[in-house]
Amino acid sequence: MSNFVHPCLLQLLPLLFFVLVQLLCASCQSASVDLNPEDKASLLLFRSWIQDPVHGLSTWFGSNCTNWTGLVCQNHTGQVISINLRNVNLSGYIHPNLCNLLFLETLVLSENGFTGQIPLCFGRLQNLKTLDLSHNRFGGVLPDSLMRLRQLKELTLNGNHDLGGVVPWWVGNFSSNLEKLDLGFNSFHGTIPESLFYCKSLKYLDLGNNYLSGDLHDFFQPLVFLNLSSNSLSGTLPCFSASIRSLGVLNLARNSIVGGIPTCIASLEELTHLNLSFNHLNYAISPRLVFSEKLLALDLSFNDISGPLPTKIAETTEKSGLVLLDLSHNCFSGGIPLKITELKSLQALFLSHNLLTGEIPARIGNLTYLQVIDLSRNSLSGSIPLNIVGCFQLLALVLNNNNLSGQIQPELDALDSLKVLDISNNGISGEIPLTLAGCKSLEIVDFSSNNLSGNLNDAITKWSNLRYLSLARNKFSGSLPSWLFTFEEIQMIDFSGNKFSGFVPDGNFNISLEFNNGDVRRLPAEPFLAIRNIEIKISVLVVDNSELSFNYHLSSTAGIDLSDNLLHGEIPHGLFGLQGLEYLNLSYNFLDGQVPSLEKMQSLRALDLSHNSLSGQIPGNISRLKELVLLNFSYNSLSGFVPQREGYGRFPGAFAGNPDLCVESPRVKCDSGSLPAVPGKSFEETEGPISVWIFCISAFVSFYFCVVTLFCSTRARSYLLQTKV
């Protein structure tokens, strides 16, 4: 057999070699397409008008089309059929010679810095199927010449904030092939043109984030994607009947839509994302409004929907169902239905800012995929259910502003992925369990306004990623621990309104990155109370069927609040060396000693040292502290005088209750020669009664000394006796 095979292979070798050579030649020819000379000249003129700081077009030389970045040419003619220069950091104006590329089918210039108006000559590119100019700086209006692009399938112009005017009447009927129209994040106004409601080929329509107005009408084509969010559309919700078997994403958020939610919306078989938030929807949700298991995200937040929470809002299976449910900021009342605990796929549950009562269902622990629970600002009662530890993937647990009671259960340490824990403004009592040291991922902890007590334990030191810690308005006692300022990421510490005693810990001030960041953030001036408050904005985004993107934004100043405690001793000088500190409140304590220098606190916006026992003189010139909007040194024992030139004049009332302190103003002049040399005592007092008393004592001592001396001298004693006789 082997003798037969080898001769055959030898005969086939020339043929195989010939085929291989042909293939190599073909690949060489396809890899080397000569650019059409006229197209090349037009492209070079296009390049001459634009700025290319990162040299993204440095390959635009020679004649080989395949070497030119972003270009595709026809194999035989060398004419350019595709240009894709997405995100190449180009800027400038588009040269009109680009419109000489008459065989161009795809033009993508998105995510650059092109300016000016969309060239009128684009209407000459009649073979164009895709035009993407999104995320540039184009302005003006949509040129009517684009209606000549009869082959166009995709027109994407979103993210050009100066591009606007009225959406042209022809935009829905100029091309029978148009499938995608994206004009989002621009400045279009007026009503939606009627042609868009009847464009049969249209599948993807995005007009979000514009200034469109008028009533919302139904569409008469099978859309797949519809985004009209962040406009001023009014009217009631249509049924979108033509899209019953196609519509997957429906976003009508941030408009002025009124009325109830029609049950026909649940008939949209392919719906995966429904966002009706920030409208004026009202009435109760019908029990017949039950979506299919394909729905992943349902957002009805920030409306006026009333009545009980729906017992069943969507079908669910073991492998599919709702991932995000947001019914927050409405007027829902009653208890949390047990049916919600059957949404096995749920990863984010927002029910905050409603009128809910009753207890948190213990079976909430069955939702093992939950990452976010926000039940804040309701009237929920009872304790935090122990079964909540079944939500072992939990990242945020927000239960503030309810009527919850009981204690913090030690078993909560099982939530070792937890980043946000907010149980503030409840009636929770007891101590912080030592076991919470297991929650090492914690970044935001707010236990304020409860009935918690005891000393601070070292469990808190294990929260190495801590950014915000508030134990304010509780019943904690004991000394402040030495590790108080040892958190590298800490942004705010609020221990106000407790019974902490002892000294303010001295040291470890150089660890916090926020406290030591000297870059002033130039935040707007805010009232005192607003500086103390924080706002945590939690946002989630459904990425696909099984993944949710979690994020939160902490709106708070970089600050320390130890006010309203029993602290005494001097203020550590290191505390006043924190260049990034914006807010410091040590008021209503028993602190003494002098006020340290403020010159290093360049970011300081609010300082309150009132109602203490501080003495000495006011620190020097603060006119360089440009960010300072609030200052309070009142009700201490400060002395000396405050010259008008020092910059304190813009804080009226900041020095009230300091009787030995003179504050200069246009109406009040301080005599520096008559100011106390010793804090707390005036010059007149020193030269008055005290001086007279000292003189009397001195005279008496001198007289007594003279008498004793005379009687001790023999000659003097004889002289006095002889005279007497």
Side-chain angles (χ1 to χ4, degrees):
M1 179 66 73
S2 61
N3 293 334
F4 175 76
V5 171
H6 288 297
C8 292
L9 286 174
L10 290 173
Q11 293 177 2
L12 288 173
L13 279 176
L15 180 61
L16 291 171
F17 180 76
F18 176 77
V19 171
L20 182 61
V21 170
Q22 292 294 321
L23 289 172
L24 288 172
C25 291
S27 63
C28 291
Q29 289 176 357
S30 64
S32 177
V33 178
D34 285 338
L35 186 61
N36 181 280
E38 295 179 358
D39 287 3
K40 177 180 178 181
S42 298
L43 289 169
L44 292 177
L45 283 173
F46 164 73
R47 187 179 67 175
S48 69
W49 270 29
I50 60 178
Q51 287 77 49
D52 181 15
V54 298
H55 307 291
L57 304 183
S58 59
T59 60
W60 281 26
F61 64 88
S63 298
N64 187 354
C65 174
T66 54
N67 291 338
W68 286 45
T69 299
L71 259 60
V72 177
C73 300
Q74 285 183 341
N75 288 337
H76 301 296
T77 64
Q79 289 167 320
V80 179
I81 58 174
S82 176
I83 299 177
N84 189 340
L85 298 176
R86 176 182 175 272
N87 194 20
V88 192
N89 200 21
L90 305 175
S91 60
Y93 294 92
I94 294 179
H95 196 286
N97 272 41
L98 188 66
C99 301
N100 291 338
L101 307 177
L102 299 181
F103 289 87
L104 199 62
E105 297 179 4
T106 300
L107 177 58
V108 177
L109 302 177
S110 60
E111 299 181 40
N112 285 290
F114 289 107
T115 53
Q117 296 188 345
I118 297 175
L120 294 173
C121 66
F122 275 6
R124 294 168 51 194
L125 303 173
Q126 296 189 21
N127 288 309
L128 210 58
K129 296 178 181 178
T130 299
L131 177 59
D132 186 352
L133 306 178
S134 61
H135 298 288
N136 280 283
R137 299 174 187 171
F138 290 109
V141 299
L142 210 57
D144 289 341
S145 59
L146 294 184
M147 74 170 73
R148 298 202 294 266
L149 304 179
R150 303 289 184 182
Q151 304 298 320
L152 203 64
K153 288 186 176 182
E154 296 185 8
L155 178 58
T156 306
L157 303 174
N158 72 320
N160 291 281
H161 301 295
D162 294 327
L163 182 65
V166 177
V167 181
W169 60 269
W170 48 262
V171 76
N173 56 18
F174 74 101
S175 171
S176 59
N177 298 313
L178 188 66
E179 296 181 359
K180 178 180 179 179
L181 177 64
D182 189 350
L183 304 180
F185 287 94
N186 290 307
S187 298
F188 290 102
H189 58 82
T191 59
I192 300 174
E194 189 175 359
S195 60
L196 281 178
F197 296 104
Y198 295 94
C199 182
K200 294 183 178 180
S201 59
L202 194 62
K203 296 180 180 178
Y204 183 109
L205 177 61
D206 192 341
L207 300 176
N209 294 87
N210 281 285
Y211 303 98
L212 301 174
S213 57
D215 284 349
L216 178 64
H217 298 293
D218 208 342
F219 288 78
F220 297 95
Q221 70 272 67
L223 294 169
V224 174
F225 180 99
L226 177 61
N227 180 18
L228 303 176
S229 65
S230 298
N231 282 287
S232 299
L233 300 172
S234 55
T236 57
L237 276 173
C239 287
F240 302 100
S241 302
S243 304
I244 192 171
R245 292 181 176 84
S246 60
L247 193 59
V249 175
L250 176 58
N251 188 354
L252 303 176
R254 297 181 185 274
N255 280 287
S256 299
I257 300 170
V258 297
I261 303 175
T263 56
C264 58
I265 290 289
S267 301
L268 299 171
E269 299 174 0
E270 299 298 320
L271 199 61
T272 59
H273 293 72
L274 176 60
N275 191 346
L276 303 177
S277 63
F278 290 93
N279 278 287
H280 302 297
L281 299 171
N282 50 19
Y283 306 120
I285 292 180
S286 170
R288 293 184 293 127
L289 185 73
V290 180
F291 294 93
S292 75
E293 70 277 2
K294 292 184 179 180
L295 189 68
L296 302 176
L298 176 60
D299 190 347
L300 305 179
S301 63
F302 290 92
N303 279 287
D304 301 311
I305 305 172
S306 58
L309 288 173
T311 54
K312 187 175 184 180
I313 195 67
E315 302 287 352
T316 183
T317 65
E318 289 296 326
K319 296 183 179 180
S320 63
L322 271 179
V323 174
L324 164 66
L325 177 60
D326 192 346
L327 304 178
S328 65
H329 293 84
N330 278 287
C331 301
F332 289 110
S333 58
I336 300 175
L338 288 177
K339 283 286 185 181
I340 285 183
T341 64
E342 296 178 5
L343 298 171
K344 298 294 182 65
S345 303
L346 204 60
Q347 297 183 34
L349 175 61
F350 294 92
L351 300 177
S352 67
H353 293 80
N354 278 290
L355 307 172
L356 301 176
T357 56
E359 298 187 358
I360 302 172
R363 287 166 57 183
I364 200 168
N366 295 341
L367 302 177
T368 55
Y369 292 107
L370 262 183
Q371 297 182 34
V372 179
I373 301 175
D374 188 353
L375 308 179
S376 62
R377 295 189 180 273
N378 282 287
S379 298
L380 298 171
S381 57
S383 59
I384 303 172
L386 186 58
N387 287 0
I388 206 167
V389 299
C391 309
F392 60 90
Q393 300 187 49
L394 208 58
L395 300 175
L397 177 59
V398 184
L399 304 175
N400 62 281
N401 290 86
N402 278 287
N403 298 322
L404 300 175
S405 57
Q407 299 186 351
I408 302 174
Q409 298 295 331
E411 289 79 3
L412 286 181
D413 68 330
L415 302 176
D416 53 5
S417 299
L418 204 61
K419 293 185 176 182
V420 179
L421 177 57
D422 187 352
I423 58 173
S424 61
N425 288 279
N426 281 288
I428 297 172
S429 58
E431 299 186 3
I432 300 175
L434 278 168
T435 57
L436 285 192
C439 300
K440 297 181 179 179
S441 300
L442 279 171
E443 299 177 15
I444 308 293
V445 177
D446 193 347
F447 291 166
S448 62
S449 298
N450 279 286
N451 295 317
L452 296 169
S453 58
N455 297 337
L456 295 185
N457 58 55
D458 292 343
I460 298 176
T461 62
K462 304 300 181 181
W463 306 339
S464 57
N465 297 316
L466 204 59
R467 294 181 57 195
Y468 179 93
L469 174 61
S470 178
L471 306 179
R473 299 174 295 283
N474 277 285
K475 299 176 181 178
F476 290 106
S477 58
S479 300
L480 291 176
S482 59
W483 46 256
L484 185 59
F485 304 111
T486 60
F487 300 97
E488 185 174 328
E489 304 294 331
I490 198 70
Q491 182 175 332
M492 183 72 184
I493 296 175
D494 188 353
F495 285 5
S496 62
N498 283 283
K499 297 180 180 178
F500 289 113
S501 58
F503 300 96
V504 178
D506 190 1
N508 300 316
F509 295 115
N510 61 341
I511 294 179
S512 167
L513 300 178
E514 285 284 339
F515 292 168
N516 290 281
N517 179 16
D519 297 332
V520 179
R521 287 184 269 188
R522 300 288 177 188
L523 296 172
E526 298 175 351
F528 180 60
L529 289 177
I531 294 176
R532 294 185 61 180
N533 294 337
I534 67 158
E535 185 176 0
I536 305 170
K537 292 184 178 179
I538 296 175
S539 59
V540 293
L541 179 67
V542 179
V543 180
D544 56 29
N545 290 19
S546 59
E547 185 179 352
L548 180 143
S549 174
F550 166 81
N551 193 21
Y552 74 87
H553 174 71
L554 174 65
S555 176
S556 176
T557 53
I560 297 172
D561 192 342
L562 304 178
S563 64
D564 195 14
N565 279 286
L566 306 174
L567 302 173
H568 61 270
E570 295 187 357
I571 301 174
H573 284 261
L575 194 57
F576 278 65
L578 300 177
Q579 299 182 25
L581 200 66
E582 299 171 271
Y583 169 65
L584 177 60
N585 190 352
L586 302 177
S587 64
Y588 289 92
N589 280 288
F590 299 94
L591 300 172
D592 53 31
Q594 296 190 350
V595 180
S597 173
L598 305 178
E599 60 183 8
K600 294 182 180 180
M601 306 183 77
Q602 294 299 312
S603 302
L604 194 64
R605 302 177 59 210
L607 175 63
D608 191 351
L609 303 180
S610 65
H611 294 87
N612 279 286
S613 301
L614 299 171
S615 59
Q617 297 187 356
I618 295 295
N621 193 352
I622 63 161
S623 58
R624 289 177 294 178
L625 303 182
K626 304 298 184 183
E627 301 301 309
L628 198 61
V629 296
L630 189 146
L631 181 70
N632 194 353
F633 285 150
S634 64
Y635 298 98
N636 279 283
S637 299
L638 299 169
S639 58
F641 77 106
V642 184
Q644 188 176 355
R645 66 177 182 274
E646 295 289 343
Y648 287 98
R650 66 183 197 267
F651 305 108
F655 304 102
N658 289 278
D660 296 328
L661 190 65
C662 181
V663 182
E664 278 193 340
S665 69
R667 297 181 180 180
V668 179
K669 297 297 181 182
C670 299
D671 183 5
S672 59
S674 64
L675 292 170
V678 179
K681 296 182 180 179
S682 65
F683 181 79
E684 289 78 9
E685 290 175 336
T686 306
E687 292 294 320
I690 295 179
S691 298
V692 173
W693 180 244
I694 293 174
F695 174 78
C696 294
I697 294 175
S698 177
F700 177 79
V701 170
S702 299
F703 176 78
Y704 182 80
F705 179 78
C706 292
V707 170
V708 171
T709 303
L710 287 171
F711 272 92
C712 291
S713 170
T714 305
R715 183 181 299 179
R717 187 169 58 249
S718 301
Y719 176 77
L720 289 173
L721 290 173
Q722 290 174 2
T723 304
K724 188 176 181 181
V725 173

